[in-house]
Amino acid sequence: MRRLIGSVAVGLALVACSDGPSGPEPPEGFVYSAVAAGGQHSCGLAPGDAVYCWGRGNQWALGDGTGQSSPVPVRTRVTGTVLEVSAGIAHSCALTDDASVRCWGWNRYGQIGVGDNSDHGYPVTLTFPGSGGIATISAGWFHTCALDQLGQAYCWGGNAQGQLGDGTRADSNRPVPVATDERFASISAGADHTCAVTLGGGALCWGLNHRGQLGTGHTEGALVPAPVVGGHSFRSVSAGFDHSCGVRTDQAVLCWGSNESGQLGNGGLSGPGQPGSVSPHRILRPDAAMSVSAGYGFTCAVSTAHHAWCWGRGEAHQLGLGRFDDFTVPQRILDRDISFATVSARGLTHACAVSRHGAAYCWGTGQHGQLGAANVRISPVPVRVSEGVTR
């Protein structure tokens, strides 16, 4: 049985101008510029702009053509200079400096986006209709989304709940334009829903809404983008399994949707199968954040003081707190010596992060090697990702 910690004691006040801890990290290991936690694998952007992935590989999610799992990072077969990498439930995508997208892995619903439904062991290049080049990507559970350089949104893959935003429920194994005149600055593909921030700071979501994860004030789904209520101005949004979170322009974190495990960070819980909140509500702490990542029943954020905070489901140690309890209020992860730059809580039972010094860390349960540290299958606190190999 999962244990629940529901304390709402006042947390540490974070000062936006703080430099955070100095980060006495071990000198060995790759320097990563980004890391992405997927369902049961992870990927990182390493020196030479190369992509390395680790964890479960039997659905080709590692992109090295072997179909084998690996507890240490292995280099994918992505060509070109990579700017961004995103990991989905069992597939991954990379954005290169020529504004091209290359995806690989599980493809049952067409989430690879190249016109077929066959799994791909090697990265394959996508074609976008009428696009002058892609600016950012987001791999979800069964679908993938991207923005072109003009802010036009495209999605592809599974669409049973309208998560592609094209006004239908038909899957698509090629990118289709999202049915809106809005142009976006960022986009996040979740499990069965998608959220994006417009160029003006408004948030729109579409897809499944049975837990209120669209933030539209009700639980009716949307086949096309619908505005998140409250009139908030967002810097970014993150779509998780059945909840969503965003960072406002004033650096406050707001969350909405399911709250069965406390993933909304407001000190409360929703009943099984019930919506937690159909509109955004501010989390109890930290006071100011740079980014937030919503995952499978839990959430993590990086504060402006470069501390990592996590909350929600903790039964697999995915909160990095040294214990397996759920928490309804954000808690600062245990390793106080790491100065964090980004965090990704998109794994089923794990999370990963990159420090300001470029070291990659993961924590949680990694039975398939998704923590990226040789001989480590579970870690309740951040563990350093090993150096990568080519196989």
Side-chain angles (χ1 to χ4, degrees), residues 9 18 42 71 163 199 221 289 313 319 364 367:
S18 171
S42 309
Q163 58 264 48
L199 295 178
R313 186 189 303 271
L319 302 186
Q367 68 272 30

Side-chain angles (χ1 to χ4, degrees), residues 284-336:
L284 293 180
R285 57 190 187 200
D287 294 329
M290 298 187 297
S291 63
V292 65
S293 181
Y296 182 54
F298 74 108
T299 312
C300 294
V302 174
S303 73
T304 53
H306 300 284
H307 304 145
W309 297 71
C310 295
W311 59 96
R313 186 189 303 271
E315 61 185 358
H317 298 290
Q318 59 267 57
L319 302 186
L321 304 175
R323 53 198 299 178
F324 54 86
D325 307 287
D326 293 357
F327 281 85
T328 65
V329 175
Q331 306 290 320
R332 185 176 164 189
I333 69 168
L334 284 183
D335 198 324
R336 303 297 177 95

Side-chain angles (χ1 to χ4, degrees), residues 327-382:
F327 281 85
T328 65
V329 175
Q331 306 290 320
R332 185 176 164 189
I333 69 168
L334 284 183
D335 198 324
R336 303 297 177 95
D337 291 328
I338 304 173
S339 180
F340 287 96
T342 64
V343 65
S344 175
R346 309 270 286 182
L348 289 174
T349 58
H350 78 291
C352 295
V354 175
S355 76
R356 287 200 293 166
H357 303 283
Y361 296 88
C362 295
W363 57 90
T365 300
Q367 68 272 30
H368 298 287
Q370 57 263 49
L371 302 187
N375 303 317
V376 178
R377 292 295 179 266
I378 185 169
S379 179
V381 296

